[in-house]
Amino acid sequence: MYRFLLTRQWVILTLIALVLIPVMVELGFWQLHRHEHRVAQNERISKALAADPVPAEELTSPGHEVPRTDLYRRVSAKGTFDAEHEVVVRRRTNDDDKVGFHVLTPFVLDDGKVLLVNRGWIPADGPQTAFPEIPAPPKGDVIVTGRLMADETSAASGIKDVRGLPDRQIMLISSGQQADSLGKQVLGGYIEQTSPEPRDGSPELIGEPDHSGIGAHMAYAVQWWLFAAGVPIGWVVLVRRERRDRAAAAETPAQETAPATV
């Protein structure tokens, strides 16, 4: 009755079904793990943003690589801005997806070390080869507060570190590169300034990272598991249909050759 399952066509179809089921189950767990990772990341960011600021030198130092656990931690520092040696980071967008620059200004601490401060975004109004006009930072001693960030890399950001750029323009924020350029000790990583707020709103401060959305990973996980459950159901439906069609085909010749009765 089910000998057709031993045919080449049905053996291949059955093997494909047997392979698809664990693959889809594994894809579901992969999406579940991505969901759990996103939830944990949101919790970590929320705690970091809600915590009271600590002195920057408690979390970073020259040559230090900022770990994931310290990302977005609120830090503060006292010192003076060195506007003479500030640079701009090319091809950065604001919340409205307009292309411009991030303003990276060295902040000289009381002990002589430097903390890199991303003061925010400015539009790219002039030619790309020219250094843009930047609102001056506060003068004199200042207490700056911001979110601690790790040095940027091409691998993590997808941004190519182009060489030969116009003077005082960079593609990636690297404390090591800035230390070489300044000839000073530069704390690892940098901060995204949150206070003091700039006069007239420029540079435009960088907004908080998204730590509320969880994406559709859980929905995708359930979807893959439903697909996995649907494979054996579909296989049974096809088998029954094949059996019915073969039975009907076997009965038809018998009816056609049956002798007529008078």
Side-chain angles (χ1 to χ4, degrees), residues 104-144:
L104 188 69
T105 309
F107 189 73
V108 183
L109 307 180
D110 292 341
D111 61 5
K113 297 186 181 70
V114 172
L115 172 66
L116 298 178
V117 178
N118 186 339
R119 294 203 289 128
W121 179 90
I122 59 172
D125 294 332
Q128 289 287 317
T129 55
F131 191 76
E133 186 174 335
I134 303 172
K139 295 182 179 180
D141 286 341
V142 181
I143 296 178
V144 66

Short mmCIF file of all heavy atoms in Angstrom, two decimals, residues 104-144:
data_model
loop_
_atom_site.label_atom_id
_atom_site.label_comp_id
_atom_site.label_asym_id
_atom_site.label_seq_id
_atom_site.Cartn_x
_atom_site.Cartn_y
_atom_site.Cartn_z
N LEU A 104 35.21 66.00 17.53
CA LEU A 104 35.99 65.33 18.55
C LEU A 104 37.04 66.30 19.10
O LEU A 104 37.97 66.69 18.39
CB LEU A 104 36.68 64.08 17.96
CG LEU A 104 37.37 63.17 18.96
CD1 LEU A 104 36.34 62.47 19.84
CD2 LEU A 104 38.22 62.13 18.24
N THR A 105 36.86 66.66 20.37
CA THR A 105 37.72 67.67 20.98
C THR A 105 38.51 67.08 22.13
O THR A 105 37.92 66.46 23.03
CB THR A 105 36.87 68.85 21.50
OG1 THR A 105 36.01 69.32 20.47
CG2 THR A 105 37.78 70.00 21.96
N PRO A 106 39.85 67.26 22.15
CA PRO A 106 40.62 66.80 23.32
C PRO A 106 40.23 67.60 24.56
O PRO A 106 40.05 68.82 24.49
CB PRO A 106 42.07 67.08 22.91
CG PRO A 106 42.04 67.23 21.43
CD PRO A 106 40.70 67.80 21.10
N PHE A 107 40.11 66.91 25.68
CA PHE A 107 39.77 67.54 26.96
C PHE A 107 40.91 67.25 27.91
O PHE A 107 41.13 66.11 28.32
CB PHE A 107 38.44 66.97 27.47
CG PHE A 107 37.89 67.69 28.66
CD1 PHE A 107 37.31 68.94 28.53
CD2 PHE A 107 37.91 67.10 29.92
CE1 PHE A 107 36.77 69.60 29.63
CE2 PHE A 107 37.38 67.74 31.03
CZ PHE A 107 36.81 69.00 30.89
N VAL A 108 41.67 68.27 28.24
CA VAL A 108 42.88 68.11 29.05
C VAL A 108 42.50 68.12 30.53
O VAL A 108 41.94 69.10 31.04
CB VAL A 108 43.90 69.22 28.75
CG1 VAL A 108 45.17 68.99 29.54
CG2 VAL A 108 44.20 69.29 27.25
N LEU A 109 42.80 67.02 31.20
CA LEU A 109 42.46 66.87 32.62
C LEU A 109 43.47 67.60 33.50
O LEU A 109 44.55 68.03 33.04
CB LEU A 109 42.40 65.39 32.99
CG LEU A 109 41.50 64.52 32.10
CD1 LEU A 109 41.53 63.07 32.60
CD2 LEU A 109 40.06 65.04 32.09
N ASP A 110 43.14 67.69 34.76
CA ASP A 110 44.02 68.41 35.69
C ASP A 110 45.39 67.76 35.81
O ASP A 110 46.39 68.43 36.11
CB ASP A 110 43.37 68.49 37.08
CG ASP A 110 42.13 69.39 37.09
OD1 ASP A 110 42.00 70.22 36.16
OD2 ASP A 110 41.30 69.25 38.01
N ASP A 111 45.46 66.42 35.58
CA ASP A 111 46.75 65.73 35.69
C ASP A 111 47.50 65.69 34.37
O ASP A 111 48.54 65.03 34.26
CB ASP A 111 46.55 64.31 36.24
CG ASP A 111 45.67 63.45 35.34
OD1 ASP A 111 45.28 63.93 34.24
OD2 ASP A 111 45.35 62.30 35.72
N GLY A 112 47.00 66.38 33.34
CA GLY A 112 47.68 66.45 32.06
C GLY A 112 47.26 65.40 31.04
O GLY A 112 47.58 65.52 29.86
N LYS A 113 46.57 64.36 31.49
CA LYS A 113 46.07 63.36 30.55
C LYS A 113 44.92 63.95 29.74
O LYS A 113 44.33 64.98 30.10
CB LYS A 113 45.60 62.10 31.29
CG LYS A 113 46.70 61.36 32.04
CD LYS A 113 46.15 60.06 32.60
CE LYS A 113 47.21 59.30 33.38
NZ LYS A 113 47.57 59.98 34.66
N VAL A 114 44.61 63.29 28.63
CA VAL A 114 43.58 63.80 27.71
C VAL A 114 42.42 62.80 27.62
O VAL A 114 42.63 61.58 27.49
CB VAL A 114 44.16 64.04 26.30
CG1 VAL A 114 43.06 64.38 25.31
CG2 VAL A 114 45.20 65.16 26.35
N LEU A 115 41.22 63.32 27.69
CA LEU A 115 40.00 62.55 27.45
C LEU A 115 39.39 63.05 26.16
O LEU A 115 39.16 64.26 26.00
CB LEU A 115 39.02 62.73 28.62
CG LEU A 115 37.62 62.13 28.44
CD1 LEU A 115 37.69 60.62 28.39
CD2 LEU A 115 36.70 62.60 29.56
N LEU A 116 39.14 62.14 25.21
CA LEU A 116 38.51 62.54 23.96
C LEU A 116 37.01 62.72 24.17
O LEU A 116 36.34 61.83 24.70
CB LEU A 116 38.77 61.49 22.88
CG LEU A 116 40.23 61.26 22.50
CD1 LEU A 116 40.34 60.15 21.45
CD2 LEU A 116 40.88 62.55 21.99
N VAL A 117 36.50 63.87 23.74
CA VAL A 117 35.09 64.19 23.93
C VAL A 117 34.43 64.39 22.57
O VAL A 117 34.83 65.28 21.80
CB VAL A 117 34.90 65.45 24.79
CG1 VAL A 117 33.41 65.79 24.92
CG2 VAL A 117 35.53 65.27 26.16
N ASN A 118 33.45 63.55 22.29
CA ASN A 118 32.63 63.75 21.08
C ASN A 118 31.56 64.77 21.45
O ASN A 118 30.59 64.44 22.14
CB ASN A 118 32.01 62.42 20.65
CG ASN A 118 31.26 62.53 19.32
OD1 ASN A 118 30.87 63.62 18.91
ND2 ASN A 118 31.06 61.40 18.67
N ARG A 119 31.75 66.01 21.00
CA ARG A 119 30.85 67.08 21.41
C ARG A 119 29.52 67.06 20.66
O ARG A 119 28.60 67.79 21.03
CB ARG A 119 31.53 68.44 21.22
CG ARG A 119 32.73 68.65 22.13
CD ARG A 119 33.02 70.12 22.33
NE ARG A 119 33.55 70.77 21.14
CZ ARG A 119 33.06 71.87 20.60
NH1 ARG A 119 32.00 72.46 21.11
NH2 ARG A 119 33.64 72.41 19.53
N GLY A 120 29.41 66.26 19.61
CA GLY A 120 28.14 66.17 18.91
C GLY A 120 28.29 66.34 17.41
O GLY A 120 29.39 66.27 16.85
N TRP A 121 27.14 66.55 16.76
CA TRP A 121 27.05 66.54 15.29
C TRP A 121 26.87 67.95 14.75
O TRP A 121 26.15 68.77 15.33
CB TRP A 121 25.86 65.68 14.88
CG TRP A 121 25.61 65.59 13.40
CD1 TRP A 121 26.13 64.66 12.54
CD2 TRP A 121 24.78 66.44 12.61
NE1 TRP A 121 25.67 64.89 11.26
CE2 TRP A 121 24.83 65.97 11.28
CE3 TRP A 121 23.98 67.54 12.91
CZ2 TRP A 121 24.12 66.57 10.24
CZ3 TRP A 121 23.27 68.16 11.87
CH2 TRP A 121 23.35 67.68 10.56
N ILE A 122 27.56 68.21 13.62
CA ILE A 122 27.36 69.45 12.88
C ILE A 122 27.11 69.10 11.42
O ILE A 122 27.57 68.06 10.93
CB ILE A 122 28.56 70.41 12.99
CG1 ILE A 122 29.83 69.74 12.45
CG2 ILE A 122 28.75 70.89 14.42
CD1 ILE A 122 31.02 70.68 12.34
N PRO A 123 26.37 69.93 10.68
CA PRO A 123 26.10 69.61 9.28
C PRO A 123 27.32 69.83 8.40
O PRO A 123 28.22 70.61 8.74
CB PRO A 123 24.97 70.59 8.91
CG PRO A 123 25.16 71.74 9.85
CD PRO A 123 25.67 71.15 11.14
N ALA A 124 27.35 69.14 7.26
CA ALA A 124 28.42 69.31 6.28
C ALA A 124 27.96 70.31 5.24
O ALA A 124 27.47 69.95 4.18
CB ALA A 124 28.77 67.97 5.64
N ASP A 125 28.10 71.59 5.58
CA ASP A 125 27.59 72.64 4.69
C ASP A 125 28.59 73.04 3.61
O ASP A 125 28.21 73.48 2.53
CB ASP A 125 27.20 73.88 5.51
CG ASP A 125 26.02 73.60 6.43
OD1 ASP A 125 25.20 72.73 6.07
OD2 ASP A 125 25.91 74.25 7.48
N GLY A 126 29.86 72.92 3.89
CA GLY A 126 30.87 73.35 2.94
C GLY A 126 31.47 72.19 2.16
O GLY A 126 30.99 71.05 2.23
N PRO A 127 32.54 72.43 1.42
CA PRO A 127 33.20 71.35 0.68
C PRO A 127 33.81 70.32 1.62
O PRO A 127 34.26 70.65 2.73
CB PRO A 127 34.29 72.08 -0.12
CG PRO A 127 34.50 73.38 0.61
CD PRO A 127 33.19 73.74 1.20
N GLN A 128 33.83 69.06 1.19
CA GLN A 128 34.33 67.98 2.04
C GLN A 128 35.81 68.12 2.35
O GLN A 128 36.29 67.59 3.35
CB GLN A 128 34.09 66.64 1.34
CG GLN A 128 32.63 66.22 1.29
CD GLN A 128 32.12 65.78 2.65
OE1 GLN A 128 32.80 65.06 3.37
NE2 GLN A 128 30.94 66.23 3.02
N THR A 129 36.54 68.83 1.51
CA THR A 129 37.99 68.96 1.71
C THR A 129 38.34 70.05 2.71
O THR A 129 39.47 70.12 3.18
CB THR A 129 38.68 69.27 0.37
OG1 THR A 129 38.08 70.44 -0.21
CG2 THR A 129 38.54 68.10 -0.59
N ALA A 130 37.37 70.91 3.05
CA ALA A 130 37.64 72.03 3.94
C ALA A 130 37.24 71.67 5.37
O ALA A 130 36.27 70.94 5.58
CB ALA A 130 36.89 73.28 3.48
N PHE A 131 37.98 72.20 6.32
CA PHE A 131 37.63 71.98 7.72
C PHE A 131 36.40 72.82 8.04
O PHE A 131 36.38 74.02 7.78
CB PHE A 131 38.79 72.37 8.63
CG PHE A 131 38.62 71.93 10.05
CD1 PHE A 131 38.80 70.61 10.42
CD2 PHE A 131 38.25 72.85 11.03
CE1 PHE A 131 38.65 70.20 11.73
CE2 PHE A 131 38.09 72.46 12.35
CZ PHE A 131 38.29 71.12 12.70
N PRO A 132 35.35 72.21 8.58
CA PRO A 132 34.10 72.95 8.79
C PRO A 132 34.20 73.98 9.91
O PRO A 132 35.08 73.91 10.76
CB PRO A 132 33.11 71.84 9.15
CG PRO A 132 33.95 70.78 9.77
CD PRO A 132 35.25 70.81 9.02
N GLU A 133 33.28 74.91 9.88
CA GLU A 133 33.21 75.90 10.94
C GLU A 133 32.51 75.28 12.15
O GLU A 133 31.40 74.77 12.03
CB GLU A 133 32.44 77.13 10.47
CG GLU A 133 32.45 78.29 11.45
CD GLU A 133 31.79 79.52 10.88
OE1 GLU A 133 31.77 79.66 9.65
OE2 GLU A 133 31.30 80.35 11.68
N ILE A 134 33.17 75.30 13.29
CA ILE A 134 32.67 74.60 14.48
C ILE A 134 32.46 75.59 15.62
O ILE A 134 33.34 76.41 15.90
CB ILE A 134 33.67 73.51 14.93
CG1 ILE A 134 33.93 72.52 13.80
CG2 ILE A 134 33.14 72.78 16.16
CD1 ILE A 134 35.04 71.54 14.11
N PRO A 135 31.30 75.53 16.28
CA PRO A 135 31.10 76.38 17.46
C PRO A 135 32.16 76.07 18.51
O PRO A 135 32.49 74.90 18.77
CB PRO A 135 29.71 75.99 17.95
CG PRO A 135 29.03 75.44 16.73
CD PRO A 135 30.11 74.75 15.95
N ALA A 136 32.70 77.09 19.12
CA ALA A 136 33.78 76.91 20.10
C ALA A 136 33.25 76.26 21.37
O ALA A 136 32.12 76.49 21.79
CB ALA A 136 34.40 78.26 20.42
N PRO A 137 34.07 75.41 22.00
CA PRO A 137 33.67 74.82 23.28
C PRO A 137 33.80 75.84 24.39
O PRO A 137 34.41 76.90 24.21
CB PRO A 137 34.68 73.68 23.45
CG PRO A 137 35.90 74.17 22.74
CD PRO A 137 35.40 74.95 21.56
N PRO A 138 33.27 75.56 25.57
CA PRO A 138 33.42 76.49 26.71
C PRO A 138 34.90 76.69 27.04
O PRO A 138 35.71 75.77 26.93
CB PRO A 138 32.69 75.77 27.85
CG PRO A 138 31.75 74.82 27.18
CD PRO A 138 32.43 74.40 25.91
N LYS A 139 35.23 77.89 27.45
CA LYS A 139 36.61 78.20 27.83
C LYS A 139 36.81 78.03 29.33
O LYS A 139 35.87 78.08 30.11
CB LYS A 139 36.96 79.62 27.40
CG LYS A 139 36.95 79.82 25.89
CD LYS A 139 37.36 81.25 25.55
CE LYS A 139 37.38 81.45 24.03
NZ LYS A 139 37.76 82.85 23.65
N GLY A 140 38.06 77.84 29.71
CA GLY A 140 38.39 77.71 31.12
C GLY A 140 38.04 76.35 31.67
O GLY A 140 37.75 75.40 30.92
N ASP A 141 38.12 76.23 32.98
CA ASP A 141 37.83 74.95 33.63
C ASP A 141 36.36 74.60 33.45
O ASP A 141 35.47 75.43 33.68
CB ASP A 141 38.17 75.04 35.12
CG ASP A 141 39.68 75.03 35.36
OD1 ASP A 141 40.42 74.60 34.45
OD2 ASP A 141 40.11 75.45 36.44
N VAL A 142 36.14 73.34 33.08
CA VAL A 142 34.78 72.86 32.82
C VAL A 142 34.65 71.46 33.41
O VAL A 142 35.62 70.68 33.43
CB VAL A 142 34.48 72.79 31.30
CG1 VAL A 142 33.06 72.30 31.05
CG2 VAL A 142 34.70 74.14 30.65
N ILE A 143 33.47 71.13 33.90
CA ILE A 143 33.16 69.75 34.26
C ILE A 143 32.28 69.18 33.16
O ILE A 143 31.19 69.69 32.89
CB ILE A 143 32.44 69.66 35.62
CG1 ILE A 143 33.36 70.15 36.74
CG2 ILE A 143 31.99 68.22 35.89
CD1 ILE A 143 32.70 70.15 38.11
N VAL A 144 32.79 68.18 32.47
CA VAL A 144 32.07 67.57 31.36
C VAL A 144 31.58 66.19 31.77
O VAL A 144 32.27 65.47 32.50
CB VAL A 144 32.96 67.49 30.10
CG1 VAL A 144 34.12 66.53 30.32
CG2 VAL A 144 32.16 67.05 28.88
#
